[in-house]
């Protein structure tokens, strides 16, 4: 069995044991004990016919033993004994969905939501979560403990909301997953892959929610270009210059299919359609910029932000000429004065409008504001 299997098993076991015991630490400890036992025994004795079931039963038995030793509530033991009698756990998918919504509850700070999701839903070790947050393992362990305590103290229910409450809470879940993806996209490939895996899980658990499928489609479309985003020296390659034969066309086809199956209901669907416009164009020149401009107009209405306005200006600049793009940038110039992509967009539009000297200065300013060496080098190349 590979690492992915054990991580997925970890989240299933933790989700089920949390529902039955209400004890996050007990659930995680028993899940880890079961996995460690499997890693010791299976190479020697051979894998069981149902590895996932073996892990669940082993973890459940660990929980029963610990609860008995601690003389815990009779109801918790009765619930676990019911599982023992029936040999099969309660619906795991429902439990994992409950776990996702609990970890992403808006009562928790965003940083805590992300860390808790990585630890309990993704099954990443605390050491790995700490590395991604650039903190020590002990500090991350305390942060996770505080998040679990907050869930208990605030009496955050371990359930999936329904009706209006689901509509209200779902954006928090999607925001956590997309934040994970963007962090990965900006430099942590493992985190990017993990976000896609979790988005797949959520889409499988909530197939009727259009924005869930749209988020998965958006991540797949952006991830599809990863192999072409950097050259051999590690420098960024702009969309215009990327080798599209290196894009993941299987992922693109999957994403386009997801979008075709659902109506456009929110910002993730609009962003996914924008990404699909780029992904399905045979080359940069064939991009349907007027369609992109229309999608950005719609996105700006439902989810206004300076960043979206920058991208909207770029789309309009290619669809209707650089003057149109510069006109849209003018009202937000102060708000994005130190934002490298905005300066680069203005530089590109300015160059296409014919003012090469002004464009070079803007590219230099964009390079100075860049947050990564690769981005800085790519921008400086355009000053000449």
């Amino acid at each position: 069995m590979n690492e992915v299997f054990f991580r997925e098993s970890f989240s299933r076991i933790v989700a089920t044991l949390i529902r039955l015991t209400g004890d996050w630490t007990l659930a995680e400890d028993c899940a880890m004990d079961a996995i460690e036992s499997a890693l010791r025994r299976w190479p020697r004795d051979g894998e069981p016919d149902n590895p996932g079931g073996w892990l669940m039963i082993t973890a459940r038995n660990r929980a029963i033993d610990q609860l008995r030793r601690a003389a815990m509530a009779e109801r918790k033991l009765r619930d676990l004994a019911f599982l023992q009698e029936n040999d099969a756990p309660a619906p795991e998918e429902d439990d994992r969905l409950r776990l996702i919504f609990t970890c992403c509850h808006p009562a928790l700070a965003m940083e805590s939501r992300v860390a808790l999701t990585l630890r309990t839903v993704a099954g990443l070790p605390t050491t790995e979560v700490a590395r991604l947050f650039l903190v020590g393992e002990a500090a991350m362990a305390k942060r996770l403990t505080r998040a679990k305590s907050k869930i208990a103290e605030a009496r955050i229910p371990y359930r999936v909301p329904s009706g209006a409450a689901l509509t209200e809470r779902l954006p928090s879940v999607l925001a956590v997953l997309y934040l994970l993806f963007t962090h990965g996209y900006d430099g942590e490939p493992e985190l990017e892959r993990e976000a896609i895996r979790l988005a797949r899980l959520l889409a499988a658990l909530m197939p009727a929610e259009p924005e869930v499928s749209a988020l998965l489609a958006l991540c797949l479309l952006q991830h599809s270009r990863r192999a072409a985003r950097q050259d051999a020296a590690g420098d960024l390659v702009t969309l215009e210059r990327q080798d599209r034969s290196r894009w993941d066309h299987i992922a693109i086809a999957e994403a386009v299919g997801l979008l075709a199956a659902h109506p456009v209901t929110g910002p993730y669907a609009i962003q996914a359609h924008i990404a699909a416009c780029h992904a399905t164009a045979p080359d940069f020149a064939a991009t349907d910029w007027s369609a992109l401009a229309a999608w950005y107009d719609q996105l700006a209405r439902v989810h206004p932000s300076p960043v979206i306005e920058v991208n909207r200006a770029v789309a309009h600049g290619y669809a209707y000429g650089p003057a149109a793009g510069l006109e849209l940038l003018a009202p937000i110039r102060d708000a994005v004065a130190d934002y490298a992509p905005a300066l680069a967009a203005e530089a590109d539009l300015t160059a296409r409008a014919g003012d090469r000297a002004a464009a070079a200065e803007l590219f230099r300013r964009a390079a100075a504001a860049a947050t990564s060496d690769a981005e800085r080098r790519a921008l400086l190349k355009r000053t000449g």
Side-chain angles (χ1 to χ4, degrees), residues 65 105 113 137 140 155 181 255 276 282 314 324 326 361 372 377:
D65 290 343
H105 196 283
R113 293 182 225 170
E137 182 179 358
M140 178 51 65
R155 299 184 180 276
F181 177 83
V314 171
L326 290 169
E361 177 58 27
S372 72
R377 289 193 300 268

Side-chain angles (χ1 to χ4, degrees), residues 6-7 9-10 13 30-40 54-55 58:
F6 284 113
R7 280 165 57 178
S9 297
F10 178 87
I13 295 166
C30 292
M32 190 55 65
D33 284 349
I35 290 171
E36 290 174 353
S37 178
L39 291 172
R40 287 194 306 271
W54 188 97
L55 287 170
T58 301

Side-chain angles (χ1 to χ4, degrees), residues 275-297:
C277 281
H278 289 296
T280 56
D283 53 51
F284 190 79
T287 304
D288 189 346
W289 289 105
S290 60
L292 278 168
W295 281 119
Y296 272 115
D297 289 344

Side-chain angles (χ1 to χ4, degrees), residues 29-238:
D29 288 348
C30 292
M32 190 55 65
D33 284 349
I35 290 171
E36 290 174 353
S37 178
L39 291 172
R40 287 194 306 271
R41 295 180 55 177
W42 292 359
R44 182 186 70 238
D45 303 336
E47 291 179 6
D49 293 336
N50 181 3
W54 188 97
L55 287 170
M56 181 66 77
I57 291 169
T58 301
R60 179 207 59 204
N61 289 341
R62 293 276 199 284
I64 289 173
D65 290 343
Q66 290 196 36
L67 289 172
R68 281 174 175 158
R69 284 198 297 269
M72 296 295 287
E74 182 180 344
R75 180 183 60 79
K76 294 179 180 179
L77 283 169
R78 188 169 60 248
D79 287 341
L80 288 166
F82 176 79
L83 280 184
Q84 191 171 31
E85 292 169 4
N86 288 272
D87 244 16
E92 294 174 359
E93 274 70 12
D94 289 349
D95 286 336
R96 284 185 293 168
L97 195 55
R98 293 186 188 102
L99 184 58
I100 291 171
F101 271 86
T102 304
C103 289
C104 299
H105 196 283
L108 300 174
M110 178 59 79
E111 191 173 69
S112 296
R113 293 182 225 170
V114 173
L116 202 56
T117 299
L118 286 173
R119 177 68 189 108
T120 58
V121 184
L124 294 185
T126 302
T127 52
E128 181 63 14
V129 179
R131 184 186 70 79
L132 293 169
F133 277 82
L134 303 177
V135 299
E137 182 179 358
M140 178 51 65
K142 290 180 181 178
R143 187 176 300 175
L144 291 167
T145 298
R146 286 196 298 270
K148 296 171 193 174
S149 298
K150 174 73 172 180
I151 289 171
E153 293 165 5
R155 299 184 180 276
I156 294 173
Y158 188 63
R159 65 168 183 261
V160 180
S162 59
L166 176 62
T167 303
E168 179 184 350
R169 285 274 304 283
L170 184 58
S172 175
V173 175
L174 298 179
V176 168
L177 295 188
Y178 194 50
L179 183 61
L180 288 178
F181 177 83
T182 53
H183 280 332
Y185 189 78
D186 290 338
E188 288 284 351
E190 180 183 345
L191 200 54
E192 184 179 351
R193 289 190 292 270
E194 193 57 46
I196 291 175
R197 189 183 73 80
L198 292 176
R200 283 192 187 282
L201 171 62
L202 190 62
L205 297 176
M206 306 183 75
E209 288 292 335
E211 278 289 86
V212 174
S213 292
L215 175 65
L216 174 58
L218 176 59
C219 293
L220 287 170
L221 288 164
Q222 293 183 341
H223 180 71
S224 71
R225 301 195 294 269
R226 171 167 282 280
R229 290 180 64 227
Q230 291 183 318
D231 61 20
D235 288 341
L236 292 179
V237 180
T238 61

Side-chain angles (χ1 to χ4, degrees), residues 249-327:
H249 293 280
I250 294 175
I252 291 170
E254 180 185 358
V256 170
L258 287 168
L259 294 177
H262 295 282
V264 177
T265 58
Y268 291 107
I270 298 171
Q271 290 177 80
H273 277 281
I274 288 170
C277 281
H278 289 296
T280 56
D283 53 51
F284 190 79
T287 304
D288 189 346
W289 289 105
S290 60
L292 278 168
W295 281 119
Y296 272 115
D297 289 344
Q298 186 174 346
L299 184 60
R301 287 193 294 271
V302 302
H303 194 66
S305 80
V307 173
I308 289 170
E309 286 299 324
V310 170
N311 292 320
R312 179 172 170 244
V314 171
H316 277 258
Y318 276 103
Y320 308 115
L326 290 169
E327 183 179 351

